[in-house]
């Protein structure tokens, strides 16, 4: 299996036709996609201004893959630090991690699950800024606003609908008005599927 760097080099290769370079960018996203594959692709399309007809601006693909690469390098450095710390903890007899790294959180049931289901729902931050923010939170830094995007406006209340076994809307959750991250889950303790009317970009 070819590496992220191999496909990044193909995106940079101006001798390749734009559709091949675009395909290489999509393959890079299968290796690293902080917002989930579709939402990260949507973010890069907006951020790098990738046109519908790639021939109009093939350099947009380079802008997109370079933003993705910058975020991935930050993540890789942090992942290596985290792995080394976990090895030391295991040697000391601590088998369970005291904290779960943000990239190990499963999408299903995650506060960020809306991004996985709807590619238009994701933070407006550049990918490196998002990774820096998540790493800071992992370090215990208290950051203002939404943990994902930093939005400090009032949350959007959302009734928890008839998706549970009882078949009634029995409570409500609160979502970030910017990226639809679940800030306050439903008080019942169960996970609900949210369909917020929020969209990004």
């Amino acid at each position: 299996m070819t590496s992220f760097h191999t496909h990044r080099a193909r995106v940079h290769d101006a001798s390749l036709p734009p559709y091949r370079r675009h395909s290489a960018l999509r393959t890079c996203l299968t290796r690293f996609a902080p917002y989930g594959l579709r939402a990260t692709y949507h973010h890069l399309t907006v951020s790098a201004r990738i046109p519908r007809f790639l021939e109009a601006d093939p350099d947009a693909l380079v802008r997109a893959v370079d933003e993705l690469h910058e975020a991935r390098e930050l993540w890789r450095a942090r992942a290596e630090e985290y792995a080394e710390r976990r090895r030391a903890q295991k040697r000391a007899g601590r088998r369970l991690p005291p904290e779960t790294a943000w990239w190990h959180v499963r999408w299903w049931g995650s506060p960020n699950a809306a991004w996985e289901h709807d590619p238009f729902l994701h933070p407006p931050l550049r990918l490196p800024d998002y990774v820096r923010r998540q790493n800071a939170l992992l370090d215990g830094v208290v950051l203002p606003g939404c943990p994902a995007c930093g939005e400090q406006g009032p949350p959007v209340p959302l009734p928890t609908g008839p998706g549970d076994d009882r078949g009634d809307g029995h409570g409500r959750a609160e979502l970030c008005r910017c990226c639809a991250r679940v800030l306050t889950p439903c008080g019942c303790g169960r996970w609900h599927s949210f369909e917020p009317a929020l969209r990004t970009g």
Side-chain angles (χ1 to χ4, degrees):
M1 183 178 289
T2 51
S3 69
F4 179 94
H5 292 290
T6 299
H7 289 285
R8 177 174 176 249
R10 289 176 183 163
V11 176
H12 278 263
D13 187 352
S15 68
L16 293 175
Y19 75 91
R20 290 274 307 278
R21 298 168 72 185
H22 182 255
S23 177
L25 171 64
R26 297 281 300 225
T27 304
C28 287
L29 287 168
T30 65
R31 307 291 193 270
F32 180 68
Y35 296 159
L37 191 144
R38 295 189 306 146
T40 304
Y41 177 71
H42 174 263
H43 165 82
L44 291 174
T45 300
V46 174
S47 171
R49 303 179 305 282
I50 299 175
R52 180 179 298 273
F53 299 102
L54 300 173
E55 295 80 4
D57 184 12
D59 288 341
L61 300 173
V62 174
R63 293 193 295 270
V65 81
D66 284 350
E67 179 180 343
L68 187 65
H69 171 69
E70 183 183 349
R72 184 175 181 270
E73 289 301 297
L74 292 169
W75 165 74
R76 285 187 63 209
R78 185 50 188 263
E80 289 168 7
E81 292 174 10
Y82 182 83
E84 180 56 40
R85 189 164 62 251
R86 284 296 298 129
R87 283 192 288 270
Q89 290 168 351
K90 287 178 180 178
R91 285 193 296 268
R94 295 181 68 180
R95 304 303 297 176
L96 293 176
E99 75 284 327
T100 302
W102 59 268
W103 58 86
H104 283 320
V105 175
R106 296 176 61 169
W107 277 102
W108 186 85
S110 160
N112 302 330
W115 313 343
E116 184 71 9
H117 298 297
D118 188 335
F120 296 97
L121 295 172
H122 56 77
L125 301 176
R126 291 186 73 250
L127 297 178
D129 295 334
Y130 173 78
V131 171
R132 288 187 189 98
R133 185 172 182 84
Q134 298 313 299
N135 287 343
L137 291 169
L138 190 60
D139 288 334
V141 177
V142 178
L143 298 175
C146 170
C149 69
E151 169 65 39
Q152 299 186 46
V156 176
L158 193 70
T160 52
D164 64 344
D165 295 338
R166 288 179 286 183
D168 60 351
H170 58 279
R172 73 173 195 166
E174 292 183 333
L175 274 61
C176 172
R177 67 179 46 254
C178 180
C179 71
R181 186 184 205 271
V182 178
L183 301 176
T184 306
C186 179
C188 73
R190 298 172 58 116
W191 182 253
H192 299 276
S193 175
F194 298 111
E195 293 293 337
L198 303 166
R199 293 296 180 271
T200 300

